[in-house]
Amino acid sequence: MDWDDVDAVLLDLDGVITPTAEVHMRAWEVMFTRFLDSLPEEHEPYTDADYFAHVDGRPRYEGVATFLDSRGIELPQGDPSDGPDEQTVCGLGNRKNDLFNEVLREEGIEAYPGSVRLLDELPRRGVAMAVVSSSKNAVEVLRTAGLADRFEVVVDGVVAAEHGLAGKPEPDTFRYAAERLGKDPARCVVVEDAVSGVAAGAAGGFARVVGVDRGVGADTLREHGADEVVTDLAELL
C-alpha cells in the first residue's frame, strides 16, 4: 500500500487490533445456547456459522434480532435498560454483554503483535488513526490491552447511540470517525474483519477497504467490498 496517499486509517477493534472476537464468540455462544435450551420448542442449535452470518460486526441488539429472525423466534424489542434476565432482544443483548465482561476481567486481552507493529508505524508516517467499533466495550478493551492512549478518536457503540449513527453495514460510523479526525474519507483506509464492516467501508467512499481474514474467508470479504485481504496487519507495512 502507498501510504503517501493515505491521511488516516479507520480500524475496527475486535478481530482487527485485538482477538476480542474470540471472547465475543464465546459469550454469544453461551448466551444463545442457554436461551435456545430454555425454550419449550426445539430449534436448530447456535453455531459459529451463525456468529459470522448474523452477529459479527453488528450492533449488539441488532445481532440478537438478526439471529432470532433466522430461527423464526419473536421477542419484544424491550429497552436498553432491561435486565439480563428479561426475555427481550435488549435483555438477551445485555445478558451477552455481562458474559463478555466476565471473560474480559478474568482473562484480560492482548493485541495481535502484527497489529501493534502497524500502530507503531503509522504515526511515524504521519497517518492518523481511529477505532470504529460496534461494541460498547471498546474503550474498556483498549484500556485492558494497554492501547487506550494510541487513539485520539474512538467511535464505538456508545458514541453511535449518542449521535444517532446507523451501525454497520451502513458507513455512518466510519464517516463520523473521519470527520472527527478532520480527514477526507476519500483519503482514509478502512480496516475490517467482519462482512458488515467491509460492506460499510465499501459504501462510504473511502480510498481503500482492507479485509482481515480471521475466519470469514478471503473470498467472502472481497465479495462484500474488500479491495485486498490480509491475515495479519503487519502485511500492510
Side-chain angles (χ1 to χ4, degrees):
M1 182 178 300
D2 186 354
W3 291 107
D4 291 337
D5 295 329
V6 177
D7 290 339
V9 176
L10 314 175
L11 304 109
D12 183 31
L13 177 61
D14 302 333
V16 171
I17 299 174
T18 57
T20 31
E22 299 169 11
V23 183
H24 281 292
M25 286 182 72
R26 290 204 301 276
W28 281 113
E29 180 183 10
V30 171
M31 188 277 289
F32 276 131
T33 297
R34 290 176 180 173
F35 168 70
L36 292 174
D37 288 346
S38 73
L39 298 178
E41 67 277 8
E42 287 191 15
H43 290 276
E44 184 181 345
Y46 177 87
T47 68
D48 287 351
D50 288 308
Y51 174 80
F52 291 119
H54 307 302
V55 173
D56 189 22
R58 297 180 186 272
R60 192 192 322 152
Y61 303 138
E62 183 180 326
V64 173
T66 303
F67 171 75
L68 294 179
D69 185 62
S70 77
R71 296 299 192 272
I73 300 171
E74 294 185 5
L75 287 182
Q77 177 67 25
D79 184 83
S81 63
D82 285 355
D85 294 330
E86 296 281 347
Q87 291 288 75
T88 63
V89 169
C90 292
L92 291 183
N94 293 341
R95 193 178 308 175
K96 177 266 171 182
N97 196 53
D98 285 353
L99 288 165
F100 174 85
N101 285 316
E102 182 180 317
V103 175
L104 188 65
R105 285 192 302 269
E106 291 177 355
E107 300 182 11
I109 197 75
E110 291 187 9
Y112 294 108
S115 300
V116 174
R117 284 183 58 194
L118 182 67
L119 300 184
D120 288 342
E121 182 61 26
L122 290 180
R124 299 189 188 115
R125 302 192 185 199
V127 178
M129 303 184 297
V131 163
V132 182
S133 172
S134 298
S135 173
K136 292 187 176 181
N137 301 302
V139 172
E140 183 60 29
V141 170
L142 288 169
R143 186 180 299 117
T144 302
L147 299 173
D149 61 346
R150 299 286 191 118
F151 300 95
E152 57 182 291
V153 171
V154 175
V155 179
D156 60 4
V158 176
V159 173
E162 289 176 349
H163 294 273
L165 303 173
K168 306 168 188 177
E170 299 302 320
D172 302 38
T173 51
F174 283 115
R175 293 186 65 86
Y176 183 69
E179 178 184 329
R180 287 278 308 278
L181 289 172
K183 306 299 183 183
D184 182 350
R187 290 185 59 86
C188 295
V189 171
V190 168
V191 184
E192 262 283 359
D193 72 313
V195 166
S196 59
V198 166
F206 298 98
R208 197 163 185 80
V209 179
V210 177
V212 185
D213 184 9
R214 305 289 193 193
V216 174
D219 290 343
T220 299
L221 291 171
R222 289 192 182 94
E223 287 169 6
H224 286 83
D227 297 299
E228 66 179 294
V229 177
V230 299
T231 58
D232 189 286
L233 294 197
E235 296 172 40
L236 298 174
L237 295 173

